[in-house]
Amino acid sequence: MTELPPNVVPTAVPSITGTPQVGSTVTGSYTYADNNSDVENPSGTTYQFVTSPNPSISSSSDGTVVASGTTGGQARRLPIPCKPQT
């Protein structure tokens, strides 16, 4: 019996472009990859845009979520307008 390699969790590596300042738009995108060649879930990848006064955060709970959702199963670009914090 041939033993199959373990299923590896897929990755979605994010990228942000644009100038993060009030009045500008930043765009998030990601690259989906799966070592087992599995396709992305049809419901998509979950995303969150988070603002924080800290330049580096490790979790969305370290800032304020300003947009979130799923991509609908397609790697796509997600434009988010920058607005003043209230």
Side-chain angles (χ1 to χ4, degrees), residues 7-28:
N7 192 8
V8 178
V9 175
T11 60
V13 179
S15 175
I16 304 288
T17 58
T19 304
Q21 66 185 28
V22 173
S24 295
T25 297
V26 294
T27 300

Side-chain angles (χ1 to χ4, degrees), residues 19-80:
T19 304
Q21 66 185 28
V22 173
S24 295
T25 297
V26 294
T27 300
S29 60
Y30 66 93
T31 302
Y32 175 85
D34 185 89
N35 288 342
N36 302 99
S37 299
D38 295 331
V39 297
E40 186 176 359
N41 184 323
S43 64
T45 295
T46 301
Y47 68 89
Q48 292 183 320
F49 273 89
V50 179
T51 61
S52 174
N54 301 318
S56 178
I57 61 175
S58 59
S59 168
S60 62
S61 63
D62 295 337
T64 302
V65 175
V66 294
S68 63
T70 60
T71 61
Q74 300 176 38
R76 62 174 69 175
R77 298 171 59 83
L78 307 160
I80 304 294

